[in-house]
Each structure stands twice: as structure tokens, then as C-alpha cells.
Amino acid sequence: TVYITGRTKQETEFNPGTLEQAAAEVKEAAVTAGNGGECKHVFCDHTDDASTESVFEQVFAESGRLDVLVNNAYDVSNFPKEGKYWWEREHMAHWDTATNVGLRGHYMCSLLAARKMAEIKRGLIVSVSGPGGVHPEAKSLEGE
């Protein structure tokens, strides 16, 4: 069973899909590949520890284990909001949101997963980064 998490319940200009749509796409890909399996979507705000903890409690209660964790959550606040780019908005609020989701959220998920993985003596944690994490001169998301 694959569990995917996120807080996107409805499409927006900057979130072109929902968590439910992503789960349906994963299920369709598994069927097409002949792999079968399930994909469960769980709404989660990764800035909220209790919300994150409840996801792991659900996974462990339903599956008893976690084989692979892929950390991919990030708050893409670089896009224009209310007609302003990130540098025109409160910059520290932008930073706090991005790091709470991207860095702290990844650490929290890794911590919760690692405890169970160590107990069963197996598991893999993968953390995904954007182009800025790989190439320091990556272009902005505004396309400039």
C-alpha cells in the first residue's frame, strides 16, 4: 500500500492537482504496470506535528510497517500571491513557512519513520529537493 499525504484539497492556479487526483493517478499507473496495490491519500498539514504524527499512526496501525518514506513536502511560496512576488511580501513569514514544511517537516517524518524502521531493522528514507538544492544558481520559479 502506498500512502500519499498533502494538504491540497482543491486545485488552484499554483497547485494544478489535488491529493485525490494524485492518488487516482498512482492507482492507475500501478494497474497499467500490472503491479496492483493500493494508494491511500491522507490529508496532512506537515507544519502541524499532531497532523503528521496521526498519519504515521494510521500507517503503522493499518500496515504494521513502513518500507520506504519519500520526503517531498514543500510550500511553494515563490509564486505571486495577491499580486505580489515573494520578495514583495513579508520575507520572514515566507522563510518560516518554507522551512517549516520543507526542512522541519522532512525531519519530523524521518524521525517518526526511522523509529519504526529501526524496530523492524529495515527501511529506506529518501528526501527530495528542488533544483535550488542541487544547483545554487537555479532560476526562479517566476521564470526570470
Side-chain angles (χ1 to χ4, degrees):
T1 301
V2 173
Y3 291 82
I4 61 173
T5 65
R7 61 181 176 179
T8 304
K9 293 183 180 181
Q10 53 187 330
E11 286 189 63
T12 67
E13 180 181 356
F14 304 110
N15 289 316
T18 66
L19 191 59
E20 286 180 283
Q21 290 168 336
E25 290 173 13
V26 170
K27 287 178 188 177
E28 183 179 325
V31 169
T32 300
N35 295 330
E38 283 187 71
C39 180
K40 296 184 178 186
H41 63 282
V42 182
F43 292 105
C44 177
D45 178 353
H46 285 284
T47 64
D48 176 23
D49 290 350
S51 182
T52 302
E53 288 170 348
S54 72
V55 170
F56 283 85
E57 288 168 4
Q58 178 181 344
V59 170
F60 298 145
E62 293 176 0
S63 301
R65 67 177 210 250
L66 177 63
D67 297 320
V68 179
L69 168 69
V70 178
N71 284 316
N72 192 42
Y74 182 68
D75 182 87
V76 184
S77 298
N78 293 338
F79 292 110
K81 291 182 181 174
E82 300 169 1
K84 295 181 179 180
Y85 289 101
W86 68 269
W87 61 86
E88 298 170 317
R89 298 189 309 264
E90 175 59 43
H91 69 282
M92 291 314 296
H94 163 78
W95 173 257
D96 290 344
T97 300
T99 57
N100 275 338
V101 174
L103 296 175
R104 190 178 188 287
H106 285 206
Y107 182 82
M108 179 72 173
C109 289
S110 296
L111 178 67
L112 295 169
R115 289 175 179 163
K116 189 65 164 182
M117 290 174 173
E119 180 184 309
I120 63 172
K121 298 185 180 351
R122 64 184 245 189
L124 174 67
I125 297 174
V126 178
S127 291
V128 178
S129 176
V134 178
H135 193 285
E137 296 176 5
K139 298 292 180 192
S140 73
L141 293 175
E142 285 82 15
E144 298 172 15

mmCIF file of all heavy atoms in Angstrom, residues 85-128:
data_model
loop_
_atom_site.group_PDB
_atom_site.id
_atom_site.type_symbol
_atom_site.label_atom_id
_atom_site.label_comp_id
_atom_site.label_asym_id
_atom_site.label_seq_id
_atom_site.Cartn_x
_atom_site.Cartn_y
_atom_site.Cartn_z
ATOM 1 N N TYR A 85 5.093 39.166 -5.636
ATOM 2 C CA TYR A 85 6.083 38.097 -5.574
ATOM 3 C C TYR A 85 6.580 37.959 -4.144
ATOM 4 O O TYR A 85 6.336 38.820 -3.286
ATOM 5 C CB TYR A 85 7.256 38.386 -6.507
ATOM 6 C CG TYR A 85 6.885 38.265 -7.962
ATOM 7 C CD1 TYR A 85 6.637 39.392 -8.730
ATOM 8 C CD2 TYR A 85 6.769 37.022 -8.555
ATOM 9 C CE1 TYR A 85 6.296 39.267 -10.068
ATOM 10 C CE2 TYR A 85 6.425 36.890 -9.882
ATOM 11 C CZ TYR A 85 6.191 38.021 -10.632
ATOM 12 O OH TYR A 85 5.846 37.890 -11.942
ATOM 13 N N TRP A 86 7.306 36.889 -3.869
ATOM 14 C CA TRP A 86 7.748 36.623 -2.502
ATOM 15 C C TRP A 86 8.573 37.765 -1.916
ATOM 16 O O TRP A 86 8.470 38.066 -0.733
ATOM 17 C CB TRP A 86 8.497 35.292 -2.409
ATOM 18 C CG TRP A 86 9.824 35.247 -3.102
ATOM 19 C CD1 TRP A 86 10.068 34.864 -4.381
ATOM 20 C CD2 TRP A 86 11.085 35.597 -2.549
ATOM 21 N NE1 TRP A 86 11.399 34.957 -4.666
ATOM 22 C CE2 TRP A 86 12.050 35.412 -3.554
ATOM 23 C CE3 TRP A 86 11.507 36.068 -1.305
ATOM 24 C CZ2 TRP A 86 13.393 35.674 -3.357
ATOM 25 C CZ3 TRP A 86 12.844 36.320 -1.096
ATOM 26 C CH2 TRP A 86 13.782 36.127 -2.121
ATOM 27 N N TRP A 87 9.396 38.420 -2.696
ATOM 28 C CA TRP A 87 10.246 39.484 -2.170
ATOM 29 C C TRP A 87 9.464 40.761 -1.881
ATOM 30 O O TRP A 87 9.957 41.653 -1.209
ATOM 31 C CB TRP A 87 11.411 39.775 -3.114
ATOM 32 C CG TRP A 87 11.004 40.242 -4.475
ATOM 33 C CD1 TRP A 87 10.733 41.531 -4.858
ATOM 34 C CD2 TRP A 87 10.809 39.442 -5.627
ATOM 35 N NE1 TRP A 87 10.374 41.568 -6.180
ATOM 36 C CE2 TRP A 87 10.413 40.298 -6.684
ATOM 37 C CE3 TRP A 87 10.926 38.081 -5.890
ATOM 38 C CZ2 TRP A 87 10.141 39.833 -7.956
ATOM 39 C CZ3 TRP A 87 10.656 37.636 -7.156
ATOM 40 C CH2 TRP A 87 10.267 38.496 -8.175
ATOM 41 N N GLU A 88 8.237 40.830 -2.380
ATOM 42 C CA GLU A 88 7.377 41.980 -2.107
ATOM 43 C C GLU A 88 6.479 41.730 -0.896
ATOM 44 O O GLU A 88 5.792 42.638 -0.443
ATOM 45 C CB GLU A 88 6.508 42.284 -3.328
ATOM 46 C CG GLU A 88 7.315 42.659 -4.555
ATOM 47 C CD GLU A 88 6.480 42.736 -5.813
ATOM 48 O OE1 GLU A 88 5.628 41.845 -6.027
ATOM 49 O OE2 GLU A 88 6.689 43.696 -6.582
ATOM 50 N N ARG A 89 6.479 40.493 -0.413
ATOM 51 C CA ARG A 89 5.687 40.137 0.762
ATOM 52 C C ARG A 89 6.604 40.067 1.977
ATOM 53 O O ARG A 89 7.813 40.218 1.884
ATOM 54 C CB ARG A 89 5.009 38.774 0.547
ATOM 55 C CG ARG A 89 4.042 38.751 -0.615
ATOM 56 C CD ARG A 89 3.237 37.460 -0.648
ATOM 57 N NE ARG A 89 4.000 36.241 -0.563
ATOM 58 C CZ ARG A 89 4.388 35.507 -1.623
ATOM 59 N NH1 ARG A 89 4.085 35.895 -2.837
ATOM 60 N NH2 ARG A 89 5.061 34.401 -1.453
ATOM 61 N N GLU A 90 6.057 39.796 3.107
ATOM 62 C CA GLU A 90 6.826 39.636 4.335
ATOM 63 C C GLU A 90 7.806 38.482 4.164
ATOM 64 O O GLU A 90 7.418 37.326 4.128
ATOM 65 C CB GLU A 90 5.888 39.362 5.514
ATOM 66 C CG GLU A 90 6.578 39.070 6.820
ATOM 67 C CD GLU A 90 7.481 40.179 7.302
ATOM 68 O OE1 GLU A 90 7.078 41.350 7.213
ATOM 69 O OE2 GLU A 90 8.592 39.879 7.756
ATOM 70 N N HIS A 91 9.083 38.794 4.000
ATOM 71 C CA HIS A 91 10.059 37.766 3.659
ATOM 72 C C HIS A 91 10.305 36.751 4.766
ATOM 73 O O HIS A 91 10.547 35.589 4.491
ATOM 74 C CB HIS A 91 11.373 38.385 3.184
ATOM 75 C CG HIS A 91 12.135 39.091 4.258
ATOM 76 N ND1 HIS A 91 11.798 40.344 4.693
ATOM 77 C CD2 HIS A 91 13.204 38.713 4.976
ATOM 78 C CE1 HIS A 91 12.628 40.727 5.638
ATOM 79 N NE2 HIS A 91 13.495 39.757 5.827
ATOM 80 N N MET A 92 10.239 37.116 6.022
ATOM 81 C CA MET A 92 10.494 36.143 7.080
ATOM 82 C C MET A 92 9.330 35.167 7.225
ATOM 83 O O MET A 92 9.540 33.996 7.541
ATOM 84 C CB MET A 92 10.802 36.831 8.403
ATOM 85 C CG MET A 92 12.154 37.564 8.381
ATOM 86 S SD MET A 92 13.539 36.611 7.656
ATOM 87 C CE MET A 92 13.677 35.258 8.778
ATOM 88 N N ALA A 93 8.112 35.615 6.964
ATOM 89 C CA ALA A 93 6.976 34.691 7.003
ATOM 90 C C ALA A 93 7.123 33.652 5.890
ATOM 91 O O ALA A 93 6.838 32.474 6.092
ATOM 92 C CB ALA A 93 5.666 35.455 6.857
ATOM 93 N N HIS A 94 7.575 34.089 4.723
ATOM 94 C CA HIS A 94 7.826 33.177 3.610
ATOM 95 C C HIS A 94 8.873 32.142 4.011
ATOM 96 O O HIS A 94 8.703 30.947 3.815
ATOM 97 C CB HIS A 94 8.289 33.963 2.382
ATOM 98 C CG HIS A 94 8.943 33.133 1.336
ATOM 99 N ND1 HIS A 94 8.241 32.355 0.458
ATOM 100 C CD2 HIS A 94 10.245 32.949 1.045
ATOM 101 C CE1 HIS A 94 9.080 31.731 -0.338
ATOM 102 N NE2 HIS A 94 10.306 32.069 -0.002
ATOM 103 N N TRP A 95 9.958 32.609 4.589
ATOM 104 C CA TRP A 95 11.035 31.724 5.014
ATOM 105 C C TRP A 95 10.552 30.727 6.065
ATOM 106 O O TRP A 95 10.833 29.533 5.995
ATOM 107 C CB TRP A 95 12.198 32.545 5.565
ATOM 108 C CG TRP A 95 13.277 31.710 6.176
ATOM 109 C CD1 TRP A 95 13.514 31.516 7.506
ATOM 110 C CD2 TRP A 95 14.243 30.912 5.488
ATOM 111 N NE1 TRP A 95 14.581 30.656 7.689
ATOM 112 C CE2 TRP A 95 15.042 30.276 6.459
ATOM 113 C CE3 TRP A 95 14.517 30.680 4.145
ATOM 114 C CZ2 TRP A 95 16.088 29.431 6.134
ATOM 115 C CZ3 TRP A 95 15.563 29.828 3.834
ATOM 116 C CH2 TRP A 95 16.333 29.229 4.812
ATOM 117 N N ASP A 96 9.816 31.214 7.053
ATOM 118 C CA ASP A 96 9.322 30.337 8.113
ATOM 119 C C ASP A 96 8.424 29.245 7.554
ATOM 120 O O ASP A 96 8.553 28.076 7.936
ATOM 121 C CB ASP A 96 8.563 31.144 9.171
ATOM 122 C CG ASP A 96 9.479 32.037 9.988
ATOM 123 O OD1 ASP A 96 10.714 31.832 9.962
ATOM 124 O OD2 ASP A 96 8.954 32.957 10.648
ATOM 125 N N THR A 97 7.523 29.596 6.651
ATOM 126 C CA THR A 97 6.625 28.592 6.072
ATOM 127 C C THR A 97 7.410 27.582 5.251
ATOM 128 O O THR A 97 7.218 26.372 5.387
ATOM 129 C CB THR A 97 5.554 29.267 5.189
ATOM 130 O OG1 THR A 97 4.802 30.159 6.005
ATOM 131 C CG2 THR A 97 4.633 28.239 4.564
ATOM 132 N N ALA A 98 8.304 28.054 4.402
ATOM 133 C CA ALA A 98 9.076 27.156 3.542
ATOM 134 C C ALA A 98 9.936 26.195 4.362
ATOM 135 O O ALA A 98 9.986 24.997 4.084
ATOM 136 C CB ALA A 98 9.942 27.959 2.581
ATOM 137 N N THR A 99 10.609 26.710 5.387
ATOM 138 C CA THR A 99 11.480 25.836 6.175
ATOM 139 C C THR A 99 10.689 24.935 7.113
ATOM 140 O O THR A 99 11.110 23.810 7.377
ATOM 141 C CB THR A 99 12.535 26.633 6.970
ATOM 142 O OG1 THR A 99 11.879 27.592 7.812
ATOM 143 C CG2 THR A 99 13.511 27.323 6.035
ATOM 144 N N ASN A 100 9.552 25.398 7.610
ATOM 145 C CA ASN A 100 8.730 24.532 8.465
ATOM 146 C C ASN A 100 8.213 23.334 7.692
ATOM 147 O O ASN A 100 8.173 22.229 8.217
ATOM 148 C CB ASN A 100 7.564 25.302 9.084
ATOM 149 C CG ASN A 100 7.966 26.013 10.354
ATOM 150 O OD1 ASN A 100 8.943 25.656 10.996
ATOM 151 N ND2 ASN A 100 7.223 27.031 10.718
ATOM 152 N N VAL A 101 7.808 23.539 6.456
ATOM 153 C CA VAL A 101 7.304 22.427 5.655
ATOM 154 C C VAL A 101 8.469 21.624 5.096
ATOM 155 O O VAL A 101 8.538 20.411 5.261
ATOM 156 C CB VAL A 101 6.394 22.928 4.510
ATOM 157 C CG1 VAL A 101 6.000 21.770 3.601
ATOM 158 C CG2 VAL A 101 5.161 23.595 5.083
ATOM 159 N N GLY A 102 9.393 22.293 4.422
ATOM 160 C CA GLY A 102 10.472 21.602 3.722
ATOM 161 C C GLY A 102 11.529 20.980 4.602
ATOM 162 O O GLY A 102 11.889 19.820 4.414
ATOM 163 N N LEU A 103 12.029 21.704 5.572
ATOM 164 C CA LEU A 103 13.106 21.174 6.413
ATOM 165 C C LEU A 103 12.572 20.487 7.665
ATOM 166 O O LEU A 103 12.830 19.308 7.898
ATOM 167 C CB LEU A 103 14.062 22.296 6.822
ATOM 168 C CG LEU A 103 14.820 22.977 5.689
ATOM 169 C CD1 LEU A 103 15.639 24.144 6.217
ATOM 170 C CD2 LEU A 103 15.712 21.986 4.967
ATOM 171 N N ARG A 104 11.819 21.215 8.454
ATOM 172 C CA ARG A 104 11.311 20.655 9.705
ATOM 173 C C ARG A 104 10.354 19.494 9.434
ATOM 174 O O ARG A 104 10.395 18.478 10.118
ATOM 175 C CB ARG A 104 10.612 21.725 10.533
ATOM 176 C CG ARG A 104 10.292 21.255 11.932
ATOM 177 C CD ARG A 104 9.641 22.378 12.756
ATOM 178 N NE ARG A 104 9.502 21.986 14.136
ATOM 179 C CZ ARG A 104 8.608 21.106 14.582
ATOM 180 N NH1 ARG A 104 7.777 20.517 13.745
ATOM 181 N NH2 ARG A 104 8.549 20.795 15.873
ATOM 182 N N GLY A 105 9.506 19.653 8.429
ATOM 183 C CA GLY A 105 8.567 18.587 8.090
ATOM 184 C C GLY A 105 9.276 17.318 7.655
ATOM 185 O O GLY A 105 8.902 16.211 8.046
ATOM 186 N N HIS A 106 10.325 17.471 6.850
ATOM 187 C CA HIS A 106 11.100 16.303 6.421
ATOM 188 C C HIS A 106 11.753 15.627 7.628
ATOM 189 O O HIS A 106 11.760 14.400 7.737
ATOM 190 C CB HIS A 106 12.176 16.708 5.422
ATOM 191 C CG HIS A 106 11.644 17.011 4.055
ATOM 192 N ND1 HIS A 106 12.418 16.884 2.934
ATOM 193 C CD2 HIS A 106 10.430 17.429 3.622
ATOM 194 C CE1 HIS A 106 11.712 17.212 1.867
ATOM 195 N NE2 HIS A 106 10.506 17.553 2.272
ATOM 196 N N TYR A 107 12.301 16.444 8.530
ATOM 197 C CA TYR A 107 12.948 15.878 9.715
ATOM 198 C C TYR A 107 11.931 15.143 10.583
ATOM 199 O O TYR A 107 12.197 14.033 11.056
ATOM 200 C CB TYR A 107 13.649 16.973 10.523
ATOM 201 C CG TYR A 107 14.365 16.412 11.727
ATOM 202 C CD1 TYR A 107 15.624 15.845 11.582
ATOM 203 C CD2 TYR A 107 13.771 16.419 12.973
ATOM 204 C CE1 TYR A 107 16.287 15.295 12.676
ATOM 205 C CE2 TYR A 107 14.422 15.875 14.074
ATOM 206 C CZ TYR A 107 15.674 15.322 13.918
ATOM 207 O OH TYR A 107 16.317 14.779 15.001
ATOM 208 N N MET A 108 10.764 15.753 10.787
ATOM 209 C CA MET A 108 9.728 15.127 11.619
ATOM 210 C C MET A 108 9.303 13.784 11.038
ATOM 211 O O MET A 108 9.205 12.791 11.754
ATOM 212 C CB MET A 108 8.530 16.074 11.727
ATOM 213 C CG MET A 108 7.379 15.542 12.526
ATOM 214 S SD MET A 108 7.787 15.507 14.273
ATOM 215 C CE MET A 108 6.215 15.041 14.957
ATOM 216 N N CYS A 109 9.052 13.751 9.733
ATOM 217 C CA CYS A 109 8.653 12.492 9.084
ATOM 218 C C CYS A 109 9.767 11.455 9.182
ATOM 219 O O CYS A 109 9.506 10.275 9.445
ATOM 220 C CB CYS A 109 8.276 12.735 7.628
ATOM 221 S SG CYS A 109 6.721 13.640 7.431
ATOM 222 N N SER A 110 10.998 11.893 8.975
ATOM 223 C CA SER A 110 12.136 10.965 9.063
ATOM 224 C C SER A 110 12.269 10.402 10.473
ATOM 225 O O SER A 110 12.535 9.208 10.655
ATOM 226 C CB SER A 110 13.430 11.676 8.661
ATOM 227 O OG SER A 110 13.373 12.067 7.312
ATOM 228 N N LEU A 111 12.086 11.239 11.468
ATOM 229 C CA LEU A 111 12.164 10.805 12.857
ATOM 230 C C LEU A 111 11.109 9.741 13.160
ATOM 231 O O LEU A 111 11.418 8.679 13.716
ATOM 232 C CB LEU A 111 11.978 12.013 13.777
ATOM 233 C CG LEU A 111 11.981 11.769 15.278
ATOM 234 C CD1 LEU A 111 13.362 11.332 15.733
ATOM 235 C CD2 LEU A 111 11.557 13.039 15.999
ATOM 236 N N LEU A 112 9.874 10.008 12.764
ATOM 237 C CA LEU A 112 8.789 9.061 13.032
ATOM 238 C C LEU A 112 8.984 7.753 12.257
ATOM 239 O O LEU A 112 8.726 6.670 12.784
ATOM 240 C CB LEU A 112 7.446 9.696 12.680
ATOM 241 C CG LEU A 112 7.058 10.901 13.545
ATOM 242 C CD1 LEU A 112 5.855 11.612 12.954
ATOM 243 C CD2 LEU A 112 6.802 10.486 14.982
ATOM 244 N N ALA A 113 9.442 7.854 11.022
ATOM 245 C CA ALA A 113 9.668 6.656 10.211
ATOM 246 C C ALA A 113 10.857 5.850 10.728
ATOM 247 O O ALA A 113 10.792 4.621 10.821
ATOM 248 C CB ALA A 113 9.904 7.047 8.755
ATOM 249 N N ALA A 114 11.946 6.540 11.057
ATOM 250 C CA ALA A 114 13.176 5.855 11.484
ATOM 251 C C ALA A 114 12.959 5.024 12.738
ATOM 252 O O ALA A 114 13.529 3.930 12.877
ATOM 253 C CB ALA A 114 14.293 6.863 11.700
ATOM 254 N N ARG A 115 12.121 5.511 13.635
ATOM 255 C CA ARG A 115 11.856 4.744 14.859
ATOM 256 C C ARG A 115 11.268 3.376 14.533
ATOM 257 O O ARG A 115 11.693 2.359 15.080
ATOM 258 C CB ARG A 115 10.917 5.523 15.772
ATOM 259 C CG ARG A 115 11.562 6.734 16.405
ATOM 260 C CD ARG A 115 10.575 7.551 17.201
ATOM 261 N NE ARG A 115 11.247 8.687 17.821
ATOM 262 C CZ ARG A 115 10.606 9.743 18.299
ATOM 263 N NH1 ARG A 115 9.291 9.797 18.252
ATOM 264 N NH2 ARG A 115 11.290 10.722 18.844
ATOM 265 N N LYS A 116 10.307 3.341 13.632
ATOM 266 C CA LYS A 116 9.667 2.085 13.255
ATOM 267 C C LYS A 116 10.616 1.242 12.408
ATOM 268 O O LYS A 116 10.698 0.030 12.559
ATOM 269 C CB LYS A 116 8.371 2.355 12.508
ATOM 270 C CG LYS A 116 7.534 1.122 12.257
ATOM 271 C CD LYS A 116 7.037 0.532 13.564
ATOM 272 C CE LYS A 116 5.914 -0.442 13.364
ATOM 273 N NZ LYS A 116 5.400 -0.983 14.620
ATOM 274 N N MET A 117 11.327 1.886 11.495
ATOM 275 C CA MET A 117 12.261 1.162 10.628
ATOM 276 C C MET A 117 13.377 0.501 11.445
ATOM 277 O O MET A 117 13.777 -0.625 11.164
ATOM 278 C CB MET A 117 12.842 2.100 9.573
ATOM 279 C CG MET A 117 11.838 2.530 8.534
ATOM 280 S SD MET A 117 12.562 3.778 7.423
ATOM 281 C CE MET A 117 11.274 3.922 6.201
ATOM 282 N N ALA A 118 13.857 1.204 12.463
ATOM 283 C CA ALA A 118 14.904 0.630 13.315
ATOM 284 C C ALA A 118 14.358 -0.568 14.092
ATOM 285 O O ALA A 118 15.056 -1.577 14.261
ATOM 286 C CB ALA A 118 15.437 1.690 14.272
ATOM 287 N N GLU A 119 13.118 -0.456 14.526
ATOM 288 C CA GLU A 119 12.481 -1.547 15.268
ATOM 289 C C GLU A 119 12.380 -2.817 14.419
ATOM 290 O O GLU A 119 12.625 -3.917 14.914
ATOM 291 C CB GLU A 119 11.081 -1.093 15.691
ATOM 292 C CG GLU A 119 10.276 -2.092 16.455
ATOM 293 C CD GLU A 119 8.873 -1.569 16.739
ATOM 294 O OE1 GLU A 119 8.758 -0.441 17.259
ATOM 295 O OE2 GLU A 119 7.907 -2.282 16.413
ATOM 296 N N ILE A 120 12.039 -2.668 13.130
ATOM 297 C CA ILE A 120 11.901 -3.849 12.273
ATOM 298 C C ILE A 120 13.175 -4.142 11.479
ATOM 299 O O ILE A 120 13.215 -5.078 10.694
ATOM 300 C CB ILE A 120 10.681 -3.721 11.327
ATOM 301 C CG1 ILE A 120 10.841 -2.555 10.353
ATOM 302 C CG2 ILE A 120 9.393 -3.599 12.118
ATOM 303 C CD1 ILE A 120 9.768 -2.483 9.276
ATOM 304 N N LYS A 121 14.187 -3.304 11.671
ATOM 305 C CA LYS A 121 15.510 -3.480 11.067
ATOM 306 C C LYS A 121 15.499 -3.455 9.534
ATOM 307 O O LYS A 121 16.234 -4.195 8.882
ATOM 308 C CB LYS A 121 16.178 -4.763 11.579
ATOM 309 C CG LYS A 121 16.409 -4.757 13.071
ATOM 310 C CD LYS A 121 17.174 -5.970 13.514
ATOM 311 C CE LYS A 121 17.449 -6.069 14.966
ATOM 312 N NZ LYS A 121 17.203 -5.049 15.871
ATOM 313 N N ARG A 122 14.645 -2.584 8.976
ATOM 314 C CA ARG A 122 14.650 -2.387 7.532
ATOM 315 C C ARG A 122 13.894 -1.114 7.199
ATOM 316 O O ARG A 122 13.067 -0.646 7.969
ATOM 317 C CB ARG A 122 14.044 -3.564 6.791
ATOM 318 C CG ARG A 122 12.577 -3.794 7.075
ATOM 319 C CD ARG A 122 12.068 -5.014 6.404
ATOM 320 N NE ARG A 122 11.085 -4.635 5.401
ATOM 321 C CZ ARG A 122 10.342 -5.490 4.757
ATOM 322 N NH1 ARG A 122 10.492 -6.772 4.942
ATOM 323 N NH2 ARG A 122 9.459 -5.084 3.894
ATOM 324 N N GLY A 123 14.221 -0.546 6.040
ATOM 325 C CA GLY A 123 13.533 0.650 5.588
ATOM 326 C C GLY A 123 14.480 1.577 4.846
ATOM 327 O O GLY A 123 15.702 1.449 4.924
ATOM 328 N N LEU A 124 13.892 2.495 4.111
ATOM 329 C CA LEU A 124 14.654 3.448 3.322
ATOM 330 C C LEU A 124 13.977 4.801 3.421
ATOM 331 O O LEU A 124 12.754 4.904 3.280
ATOM 332 C CB LEU A 124 14.695 3.007 1.849
ATOM 333 C CG LEU A 124 15.330 3.977 0.859
ATOM 334 C CD1 LEU A 124 16.832 4.116 1.118
ATOM 335 C CD2 LEU A 124 15.078 3.501 -0.572
ATOM 336 N N ILE A 125 14.761 5.857 3.651
ATOM 337 C CA ILE A 125 14.246 7.223 3.683
ATOM 338 C C ILE A 125 14.902 7.995 2.554
ATOM 339 O O ILE A 125 16.126 8.035 2.442
ATOM 340 C CB ILE A 125 14.532 7.906 5.032
ATOM 341 C CG1 ILE A 125 13.817 7.158 6.159
ATOM 342 C CG2 ILE A 125 14.105 9.374 4.986
ATOM 343 C CD1 ILE A 125 14.138 7.657 7.553
ATOM 344 N N VAL A 126 14.069 8.599 1.705
ATOM 345 C CA VAL A 126 14.533 9.398 0.574
ATOM 346 C C VAL A 126 13.996 10.811 0.754
ATOM 347 O O VAL A 126 12.803 10.995 0.981
ATOM 348 C CB VAL A 126 14.004 8.830 -0.770
ATOM 349 C CG1 VAL A 126 14.447 9.688 -1.935
ATOM 350 C CG2 VAL A 126 14.436 7.384 -0.948
ATOM 351 N N SER A 127 14.863 11.804 0.661
ATOM 352 C CA SER A 127 14.420 13.196 0.732
ATOM 353 C C SER A 127 14.672 13.856 -0.613
ATOM 354 O O SER A 127 15.798 13.857 -1.113
ATOM 355 C CB SER A 127 15.151 13.946 1.845
ATOM 356 O OG SER A 127 14.728 13.466 3.102
ATOM 357 N N VAL A 128 13.603 14.399 -1.178
ATOM 358 C CA VAL A 128 13.652 15.021 -2.499
ATOM 359 C C VAL A 128 13.833 16.520 -2.330
ATOM 360 O O VAL A 128 13.219 17.135 -1.460
ATOM 361 C CB VAL A 128 12.346 14.725 -3.281
ATOM 362 C CG1 VAL A 128 12.349 15.405 -4.627
ATOM 363 C CG2 VAL A 128 12.149 13.224 -3.425
#
